[in-house]
Amino acid sequence: MTFELSDRVQAVPPSGIRRFFEIAEERDEVISLGVGEPDFATPWAARDAAITSLEQGKTSYTANRGKRELREAIADYVADRFDLGYDPDEEIIVTAGASEAVDLAFRAFVNPGDTVAIAQPAYISYEPGVIFAGGEVLPVPTREEDDFRLTVEGLEEAGAADADVLVLCYPNNPTGAIMPEEDLEPIAEFAREHDLTVFSDEIYAELTYDGEHTSIASLEGMRERTIVFNGFSKAHAMTGLRLGYALGPADAIGAMNKIHQYTMLSAPTTAQYAALEALDSCDNDVEEMVEEYDRRRRFVLSRFREIGMDVFEAKGAFYCFPEVPEGFTAEEFAEEVLREQGVAVVPGDVFGDVGEGHLRVSYATGLEDLRRALNRIEAFVADHA
Amino acid sequence: MSEREVLELLRENARYSAADIARMTDLEEDEVEAAIEELEAAGLVRGYQAVVDWDRLEDERVRAEVELNVRLDRETGYDDIAERLARFPQVTALRLVSGDYDFDMEVEGDSIREVSQFISEKVAPVPEITQTVTHYVMTSYKENGIELGDGEDDDRLSYSP
């Protein structure tokens, strides 16, 4: 007997990075700039809290929405950092990573046939998430000449006025672009005017190197139509602990909780203890990591320019988005630099067609490796000039 | 311009070139060079050394931490005693500390015998020194902020979203 796949599963193509992964596995001495996770370990205090919770046998389910104490801590944190006010009882849900929160939102608010506009280049999971929910994806390209920021013109050209949901991710994976408040205002106005629900993935909010992060939900009239996603994977280096959360109006979070309680029951308990400690006492660790990423960011941007590859001035997350030299597609460049020089980078078209001609280069890797990797890229570019 | 930032980077890795530091700090290369020269001239940066994991060397290298107690008199202060001890090439670090003893001294030599002899023949006889307690270093796990173990492999996937 063979399994007959559902139409929705069949509609999602295999991941664009899978093939590269297989090549990398065969080759020795690969320096990877292809990773979307910190190279730092979770701050010790958070790990210690997780260990202590295990020692104390705290291994039961928690409340579906997450431990109340953690929801309170999250409410305080987002109020303090991003000027967002959410009630821990009804407007916050703790999930198994921000990815689960995103998936819950698609399933809770996207009907079959609904249109979900996604600002691209975009994190690779949004599109499959929409398809699994039965929705239709409307790509909204952003352009390098606009610093990869979303504009109202871009939304209009793409036909997003007729969409049901708009997905934003700033600071952006893969470009490193940010959207300051003045850029978000017209987008918010567009969303209000056309009655769009906004999903705002702000997982990289802490990793903003130039100015402060603004959440679109903090703008006038946006709170009631926005779901904000965040989590502990990036700024707190807790990817493997799988802990995220969503913020939104009570009825919306209630709807997401309905799915969550039947599928996940509750987010990992051990991770919730770690997260509580992370919010309570790890600000300095976060600050140090952000400082280190910033140094690496400057280093990498400067080296790409020396190598002669145009690169966008990334101001958030831990990625930069250089252009591949003439004569290569993004995929060709990524594959050949991996085979010839053992440097793993992700071709930009994986993040949407508009990413063609670019590479996503992660600097969540130690400076020595970055230096060696960029020397290798330099040699590769020189060999193929 | 942040001299402190340059200092922090040099402490992290003194072999970063001026160009590397310039890339990381958004300074010009000649500004970094000038800053380093100034830090050296002002005596803030006193030298550059490799952090060595001696345990990996075939030849024996013996190190000891020595606690010293001293008796002061009207003529002799801590600085005078320190000056005398610091001149010995076997002494690699010397600090006046608070607590149960006065000086914390690090000593290096090629053998236990050599280090013992140095302490008993050169240090202990110093008239102001009233007591020495020698702790031989058995294994070093961290030096100058750098962990000396094998290091953990980066087991992250080479590609992740």
Side-chain angles (χ1 to χ4, degrees):
Chain A
M1 169 207 158
T2 51
F3 284 99
E4 205 166 303
L5 302 183
S6 72
D7 294 344
R8 287 178 189 178
V9 168
Q10 286 191 64
V12 174
S15 163
I17 55 181
R18 183 72 223 168
R19 194 168 61 84
F20 289 89
F21 183 72
E22 278 155 15
I23 302 170
E25 288 296 280
E26 289 163 13
R27 202 187 180 290
D28 290 338
E29 274 274 326
V30 170
I31 305 176
S32 180
L33 310 183
V35 289
E37 62 174 320
D39 57 326
F40 298 103
T42 306
W44 174 246
R47 279 185 275 160
D48 199 32
I51 293 165
T52 306
S53 76
L54 286 171
E55 283 172 344
Q56 293 174 342
K58 293 177 176 167
T59 52
S60 317
Y61 296 130
T62 66
N64 292 136
R65 289 164 186 257
K67 279 173 61 61
R68 188 169 197 287
E69 218 181 337
L70 176 58
R71 280 180 277 133
E72 280 171 6
I74 290 168
D76 290 345
Y77 165 76
V78 297
D80 181 47
R81 294 286 291 120
F82 310 121
D83 198 21
L84 294 171
Y86 287 96
D87 173 6
D89 283 330
E90 299 198 313
E91 297 182 322
I92 297 177
I93 182 169
V94 179
T95 53
S99 306
E100 191 214 338
V102 172
D103 179 55
L104 291 177
F106 284 139
R107 288 199 280 161
F109 309 116
V110 175
N111 280 312
D114 278 0
T115 302
V116 178
I118 301 177
Q120 288 188 347
Y123 172 56
I124 61 174
S125 298
Y126 302 139
E127 196 164 327
V130 172
I131 296 169
F132 290 142
E136 279 167 27
V137 172
L138 176 73
V140 183
T142 62
R143 298 178 306 176
E144 182 154 10
E145 43 281 33
D146 299 325
D147 291 340
F148 288 113
R149 287 176 291 190
L150 182 62
T151 61
V152 168
E153 295 72 41
L155 285 165
E156 278 167 352
E157 273 171 34
D162 298 325
D164 301 287
V165 176
L166 170 64
V167 181
L168 306 176
C169 172
Y170 296 97
N172 181 258
N173 173 8
T175 62
I178 58 171
M179 290 277 284
E181 187 172 345
E182 63 269 25
D183 295 322
L184 284 173
E185 286 286 4
I187 305 301
E189 197 182 322
F190 183 90
R192 290 191 299 265
E193 190 184 332
H194 299 286
D195 197 23
L196 301 183
T197 299
V198 175
F199 292 173
S200 183
D201 183 348
E202 300 177 21
I203 187 82
Y204 293 100
E206 287 276 9
L207 308 183
T208 301
Y209 308 107
D210 202 3
E212 288 284 303
H213 172 76
T214 301
S215 173
I216 194 165
S218 68
L219 305 183
E220 204 189 325
M222 289 309 292
R223 189 185 184 284
E224 54 266 42
R225 61 175 65 253
T226 305
I227 306 289
V228 177
F229 310 112
N230 206 327
F232 297 87
S233 291
K234 311 298 178 176
H236 293 90
M238 284 172 50
T239 45
L241 280 90
R242 309 307 307 128
L243 210 71
Y245 52 90
L247 315 166
D251 52 348
I253 293 297
M256 288 166 69
N257 189 41
K258 200 186 259 186
I259 305 169
H260 174 76
Q261 72 188 355
Y262 289 120
T263 52
M264 192 60 64
L265 279 162
S266 61
T269 301
T270 312
Q272 292 191 50
Y273 281 97
L276 191 53
E277 186 64 29
L279 289 179
D280 195 41
S281 71
C282 297
D283 286 358
N284 286 345
D285 301 83
V286 174
E287 215 171 283
E288 275 172 27
M289 288 190 272
V290 172
E291 212 168 88
E292 178 63 24
Y293 287 135
D294 191 18
R295 281 183 189 144
R296 296 175 186 177
R297 176 183 72 101
R298 293 166 199 230
F299 178 85
V300 170
L301 290 175
S302 151
R303 280 296 280 130
F304 270 117
R305 287 181 184 131
E306 282 170 1
I307 291 168
M309 288 170 71
D310 284 335
V311 60
F312 159 68
E313 180 84 25
K315 290 181 175 171
F318 39 55
Y319 309 105
C320 67
F321 209 57
E323 274 178 47
V324 297
E326 265 180 49
F328 288 100
T329 64
E331 190 177 320
E332 284 162 0
F333 188 96
E335 184 169 340
E336 286 176 38
V337 80
L338 175 60
R339 285 192 197 279
E340 288 182 27
Q341 294 286 347
V343 177
V345 293
V346 183
D349 54 322
V350 162
F351 306 95
D353 293 343
V354 66
E356 177 53 77
H358 289 83
L359 305 168
R360 187 190 76 173
V361 174
S362 162
Y363 47 85
T365 289
L367 204 84
E368 281 307 312
D369 276 348
L370 285 174
R371 179 152 54 175
R372 285 167 53 225
L374 282 150
N375 289 346
R376 292 185 190 185
I377 292 174
E378 186 167 39
F380 178 83
V381 171
D383 283 351
H384 294 269
Chain B
M1 201 273 291
S2 162
E3 270 190 346
R4 194 177 173 107
E5 207 172 357
V6 174
L7 260 182
E8 276 172 16
L9 287 167
L10 285 176
R11 271 213 72 187
E12 184 179 290
N13 185 346
R15 293 193 67 185
Y16 284 150
S17 65
D20 285 343
I21 295 176
R23 290 185 191 107
M24 285 184 266
T25 54
D26 279 352
L27 295 170
E28 295 297 323
E29 201 173 322
D30 53 1
E31 288 177 303
V32 173
E33 276 166 7
I36 294 174
E37 266 174 42
E38 221 165 275
L39 289 165
E40 289 171 357
L44 261 123
V45 173
R46 310 293 288 225
Y48 304 90
Q49 291 181 331
V51 176
V52 179
D53 188 350
W54 291 107
D55 296 346
R56 287 170 188 253
L57 202 69
E58 298 258 323
D59 302 335
E60 195 180 15
R61 186 75 187 159
V62 174
R63 293 186 302 148
E65 304 271 340
V66 188
E67 301 172 5
L68 297 178
N69 273 308
V70 300
R71 185 189 306 115
L72 304 180
D73 57 39
R74 285 185 191 183
E75 308 290 314
T76 322
Y78 286 124
D79 291 350
D80 301 307
I81 301 166
E83 201 181 327
R84 183 167 176 183
L85 292 170
R87 280 202 199 109
F88 291 115
Q90 292 92 335
V91 175
T92 52
L94 180 68
R95 306 176 187 97
L96 182 67
V97 295
S98 63
D100 293 339
Y101 51 96
D102 300 311
F103 285 102
D104 172 25
M105 183 169 80
E106 290 175 19
V107 177
E108 278 186 23
D110 289 335
S111 64
I112 290 190
R113 185 184 159 82
E114 188 187 307
V115 171
S116 306
Q117 261 182 352
F118 167 68
I119 292 161
S120 58
E121 291 173 13
K122 302 286 185 190
V123 179
V126 172
E128 294 82 5
I129 292 179
T130 57
Q131 191 190 24
T132 68
V133 178
T134 304
H135 305 273
Y136 285 100
V137 174
M138 296 195 290
T139 304
S140 190
Y141 298 99
K142 193 173 184 180
E143 293 284 345
N144 288 44
I146 294 177
E147 289 188 44
L148 301 183
D150 279 331
E152 285 164 27
D153 288 338
D154 186 349
D155 59 358
R156 294 178 298 166
L157 299 173
S158 36
Y159 290 90
S160 65

